[in-house]
Amino acid sequence: MPWKDKLKQLKGEFDSLVSGGGQSSHAQAPPPGHFQQQQQQQQPPGYGYGPGPGPGPGPGPGPGPGPGPGYGYGHGPGPGHAPPNAPPPVPPHPPQQTRPGEQQQQQPPPVPPHPPATAAASGPVYWRPQFRPDVPVTVEWDAKLGNGPDGWGNQELEHYTANPENAFHTPDGRLVIRAVANSAAPSREQRYTSARLVSRQTLSRDRGVLTGFIVSPCAAGIWPAFWLLPREPFAWPTDGEIDIAETWNGDRENHTCLHWGQHHEPQKHRVLGTRIPDMHARPVRYDFAWDQPGGQAGQGRMLWYIDGRPVMKAQVPPGTRPLRDMTVLLNVAMGGNVCAGKTPADGYYDMVVCALWMADELEYGGWGRFEHDWGNPGTPQGNTY
């Protein structure tokens, strides 16, 4: 019938129009869920800062976001898992994303990126160690070895090594001090290993500021420290010890300290605690500023800062070595008296140094800021034992 022929003609023209104008876009449209899967495949591995997956799980999925294996600052491999022969890289922290139906509190706190080099200091920087993978750590640091006398004086468990498993640079410009607990290792020297680095560089000047951005591991039996001791040989503690950043047993409290006497001489110690609940999850800024005119031993002033806020001040004690002779120490101790005898669970514990430098003066005010903070009655002088 003619009307049927006409209908077929119109239908053919319509099909031709549809196939010519829109078929290619329809052919490229992904099936439901394909785009989401593609996005997930492009995400970097999850990287969680914090207590990690906890004792028991192996080095697989951690608390980090994303579908890849999480990497926790804290407990890594579970009991019986030996550490790998080479340290895994420390990838940058991916942006936090919350998918529909997920709760934000399940995600670990975000970690700020590596502070840029341009933010170093308002005054000239006269020392900045190179945190590059092609530069061996030992170029600018001496690695202490072994368990020391009486567990480094505190009955500590760790054996310090110069191995890249315990201290290494990352591709994104960080220095990682890694303590590894592996109770299943065959020898005592292998069960608890870590690194204790001493800078070849000294403060070298009579006034200046030492700055570090550090993520600290927080867990039972773990004791990271960023501190100063005189260049060897020296007499401890009478030559002086300055503690800039240390925390133990996961208390998430920074312990600012000055020591120049034995433990039975309480008047020769100054200590002060500062709560930093997220010190395990972000780079905290620590500054130590000193002014010792003429480098005269036993004279001068010191100020400690956390995230730009002065937290303690002290006179340089009599009988101590000139501050210009001080070296920088970075280490992660394990167990011992300071940790109240607690033993860390099997796993990795990373102290991440994101930036470190020595400069001529404080940022945002220089020595005028130092004088203001020193004279401020709100800046505490610390407590004795």
Side-chain angles (χ1 to χ4, degrees):
M1 297 176 65
W3 64 270
K4 288 186 177 180
D5 295 335
K6 185 64 175 176
L7 180 62
K8 288 181 180 179
Q9 179 183 354
L10 292 173
K11 184 175 183 299
E13 290 176 356
F14 177 79
D15 290 342
S16 175
L17 179 63
V18 170
S19 63
Q23 185 175 1
S24 61
S25 62
H26 282 287
Q28 293 177 1
H34 177 75
F35 180 71
Q36 183 178 8
Q37 294 173 0
Q38 198 173 42
Q39 277 188 322
Q40 290 176 349
Q41 290 172 358
Q42 294 174 354
Q43 290 181 354
Y47 186 64
Y49 285 71
Y71 181 73
Y73 273 39
H75 303 156
H81 290 256
N85 293 329
V90 179
H93 188 76
Q96 298 292 317
Q97 296 180 351
T98 302
R99 297 175 186 165
E102 288 184 337
Q103 295 184 2
Q104 182 66 29
Q105 60 265 28
Q106 294 177 348
Q107 299 287 349
V111 178
H114 182 187
T118 54
S122 57
V125 173
Y126 65 89
W127 180 70
R128 187 201 309 273
Q130 304 175 76
F131 295 166
R132 302 202 324 256
D134 60 325
V135 177
V137 173
T138 52
V139 168
E140 297 184 273
W141 304 86
D142 287 321
K144 293 299 179 183
L145 304 177
N147 188 241
D150 190 30
W152 297 98
N154 298 299
Q155 298 182 351
E156 298 163 22
L157 299 174
E158 78 282 349
H159 283 255
Y160 290 123
T161 80
N163 300 331
E165 291 85 359
N166 296 117
F168 55 93
H169 295 140
T170 67
D172 60 346
R174 308 181 188 203
L175 169 63
V176 176
I177 313 297
R178 170 170 290 174
V180 181
N182 180 21
S183 59
S187 68
R188 183 172 176 267
E189 291 77 12
Q190 296 173 313
R191 289 172 194 155
Y192 301 98
T193 63
S194 185
R196 174 170 169 149
L197 304 181
V198 181
S199 68
R200 301 181 190 277
Q201 171 76 28
T202 63
L203 296 186
S204 74
R205 302 191 179 188
D206 297 333
R207 62 176 358 196
V209 58
L210 170 65
T211 299
F213 284 78
I214 298 174
V215 183
S216 298
C218 294
I222 295 297
W223 175 18
F226 167 38
W227 52 309
L228 304 175
L229 283 176
R231 180 171 49 192
E232 296 181 355
F234 63 88
W236 185 90
T238 54
D239 280 352
E241 173 186 327
I242 299 168
D243 300 324
I244 302 171
E246 63 177 359
T247 182
W248 49 75
N249 274 343
D251 64 1
R252 301 184 187 183
E253 177 172 303
N254 188 73
H255 303 278
T256 303
C257 305
L258 173 65
H259 307 289
W260 70 100
Q262 301 293 337
H263 294 299
H264 64 271
E265 300 175 291
Q267 73 281 6
K268 294 185 177 181
H269 302 269
R270 297 292 182 272
V271 296
L272 191 142
T274 303
R275 289 283 297 163
I276 311 177
D278 59 349
M279 66 192 309
H280 65 294
R282 68 174 176 91
V284 177
R285 176 171 183 157
Y286 303 94
D287 295 281
F288 171 74
W290 72 96
D291 181 25
Q292 191 173 43
Q296 298 183 25
Q299 299 184 29
R301 299 172 295 168
M302 301 174 288
L303 272 167
W304 290 256
Y305 294 80
I306 296 177
D307 287 332
R309 181 171 62 90
V311 296
M312 193 172 96
K313 63 183 177 183
Q315 298 276 354
V316 175
T320 55
R321 286 269 289 275
L323 293 175
R324 62 160 74 115
D325 290 346
M326 291 289 177
T327 60
V328 180
L329 285 84
L330 298 166
N331 68 286
V332 180
M334 309 169 80
N337 299 335
V338 173
C339 289
K342 293 185 178 181
T343 300
D346 284 2
Y348 304 119
Y349 302 89
D350 288 352
M351 176 183 183
V352 183
V353 184
C354 299
L356 186 67
W357 65 76
M358 297 178 189
D360 286 346
E361 61 182 12
L362 287 164
E363 285 189 279
Y364 313 116
W367 290 105
R369 177 187 175 191
F370 181 96
E371 293 295 343
H372 174 271
D373 294 337
W374 178 267
N376 186 346
T379 305
Q381 299 188 36
N383 307 307
T384 61
Y385 271 0

